[in-house]
C-alpha cells in the first residue's frame, strides 16, 4: 500500500507539472518588467535544486562577482534556470553525472563584436551536462513545442520551448552545442539593463477580452 501511495503521489506531481507547463506555454500571463539581479535568481534556484538532485549527479557553479541587472519578471528568470537545470538532469543516463552552471560577461571576442555592431552589453548563462547529448539531425527541433528526445515518461517536450519563448521575449538569444555521448551546453544571452533603469514596471500586453460562450 505504501508503494502504491508513492506511485500515486509521483503521478500527481507529474500531472501538476505538465499542466503548469502547458498553461505557461499556451498563454502569456500578466507580468511586470522590473530590474532584477540574475545572479540572485540563479543562486536561489541552485540552492533549491541541490536538495533535490539524485546523489549520483554533481552540480558545480561558476558565478562571476558583481551584479547582473536584467529587465524581467523574477518568476520568468526562475523558470528559465530551473528548466535548463532540469533538462540537464534528465539528459544524464544512469551513471555518475555532472552539471555545470556559469554566469558572467561574454569573452573578449564577443565584446568586440558587440562594440562593432553597437549592441547592448549582455550577460551569459551557461548550463552544461555530460549526458547522452543530442543527435545532429534533431538539434534544430529541440525548441519546438512537445518535441522531446527523452524516453516516454521522462519529458513533456515543453521545458525548452518555454525557455526559448521567455528568452526571445526578453530580447535575448539561446544557443546549444552538443556531441552525442558527451553531453550538451546551453548558452542564454540576455541584455543587461541600462545603468539608469531601476524599476521599469511595464505591464505585459493585455489579453483580449473573452467572449460569452462556454467551452467544455
Amino acid at each position: 500500500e505504501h508503494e502504491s501511495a508513492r506511485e500515486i503521489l509521483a503521478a500527481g506531481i507529474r500531472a501538476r507539472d505538465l499542466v503548469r507547463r502547458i498553461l505557461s506555454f499556451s498563454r502569456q500571463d500578466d507580468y511586470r518588467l522590473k530590474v532584477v539581479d540574475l545572479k540572485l535568481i540563479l543562486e536561489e534556484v541552485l540552492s533549491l535544486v541541490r536538495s533535490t538532485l539524485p546523489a549520483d549527479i554533481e552540480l558545480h557553479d561558476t558565478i562571476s562577482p558583481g551584479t547582473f541587472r536584467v529587465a524581467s519578471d523574477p518568476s520568468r528568470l526562475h523558470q528559465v534556470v530551473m528548466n535548463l537545470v532540469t533538462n540537464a538532469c534528465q539528459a544524464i543516463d544512469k551513471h555518475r553525472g555532472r552539471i555545470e552552471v556559469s554566469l558572467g560577461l561574454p569573452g573578449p571576442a564577443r565584446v568586440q563584436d558587440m562594440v562593432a555592431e553597437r549592441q547592448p552589453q549582455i550577460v551569459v548563462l551557461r548550463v552544461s551536462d555530460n549526458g547522452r547529448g543530442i543527435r545532429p539531425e534533431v538539434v534544430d527541433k529541440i525548441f519546438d513545442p512537445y518535441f522531446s528526445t527523452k524516453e516516454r515518461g521522462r519529458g513533456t517536450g515543453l521545458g525548452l520551448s518555454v525557455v526559448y519563448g521567455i528568452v526571445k521575449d526578453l530580447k535575448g538569444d539561446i544557443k546549444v552545442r552538443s556531441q552525442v555521448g558527451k553531453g550538451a551546453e546551453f548558452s542564454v544571452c540576455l541584455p543587461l539593463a541600462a545603468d539608469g533603469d531601476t524599476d521599469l514596471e511595464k505591464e505585459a500586453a493585455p489579453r483580449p477580452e473573452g467572449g460569452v460562450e462556454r467551452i467544455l
Side-chain angles (χ1 to χ4, degrees), residues 1 23 28-29 52 63 80 88 97 103 113 139 141-142 148 160:
E1 294 182 359
L23 290 176
Q28 287 205 0
D29 294 330
T52 60
I63 303 177
V80 166
L103 180 70
D113 292 341
V139 168
K141 300 178 182 179
I142 60 173
S148 177
L160 290 180

Side-chain angles (χ1 to χ4, degrees), residues 95-154:
H95 66 272
R96 189 165 187 81
R98 180 183 178 93
I99 298 175
E100 296 186 5
V101 180
S102 67
L103 180 70
L105 298 177
R110 176 59 180 162
V111 171
Q112 292 177 2
D113 292 341
M114 287 189 298
V115 172
E117 299 173 10
R118 299 183 181 276
Q119 294 180 355
Q121 192 173 22
I122 63 173
V123 60
V124 181
L125 166 69
R126 289 189 176 89
V127 178
S128 62
D129 63 77
N130 66 339
R132 68 174 70 88
I134 306 170
R135 303 192 310 275
E137 62 270 22
V138 301
V139 168
D140 294 337
K141 300 178 182 179
I142 60 173
F143 296 115
D144 292 348
Y146 306 109
F147 179 83
S148 177
T149 60
K150 305 175 184 69
E151 61 269 21
R152 185 181 297 274
R154 292 202 67 193

Side-chain angles (χ1 to χ4, degrees), residues 54 56-57 89-97 130-132 151 154:
D56 57 349
I57 295 182
C89 180
Q90 293 177 342
I92 295 174
D93 292 321
K94 296 180 180 180
H95 66 272
R96 189 165 187 81
N130 66 339
R132 68 174 70 88
E151 61 269 21
R154 292 202 67 193

Side-chain angles (χ1 to χ4, degrees), residues 32-42 67-78 80 103-105 121-125 166-167 169-172 188-195 197-201:
R32 291 180 180 272
L33 287 179
K34 57 181 63 178
V35 176
V36 295
D37 188 356
L38 179 56
K39 179 179 179 179
L40 298 180
I41 299 291
L42 178 59
T67 59
F68 299 99
R69 301 163 67 251
V70 177
S72 174
D73 179 85
S75 64
R76 305 184 90 207
L77 291 177
H78 189 285
V80 166
L103 180 70
L105 298 177
Q121 192 173 22
I122 63 173
V123 60
V124 181
L125 166 69
I166 294 175
V167 170
D169 192 41
L170 297 177
K171 296 178 172 41
V188 174
C189 301
L190 294 174
L192 290 171
D195 291 337
D197 292 335
T198 56
D199 197 349
L200 302 182
E201 291 294 340

Side-chain angles (χ1 to χ4, degrees), residues 156-172:
T156 62
L158 288 173
L160 290 180
S161 62
V162 169
V163 170
Y164 182 87
I166 294 175
V167 170
K168 289 299 182 179
D169 192 41
L170 297 177
K171 296 178 172 41

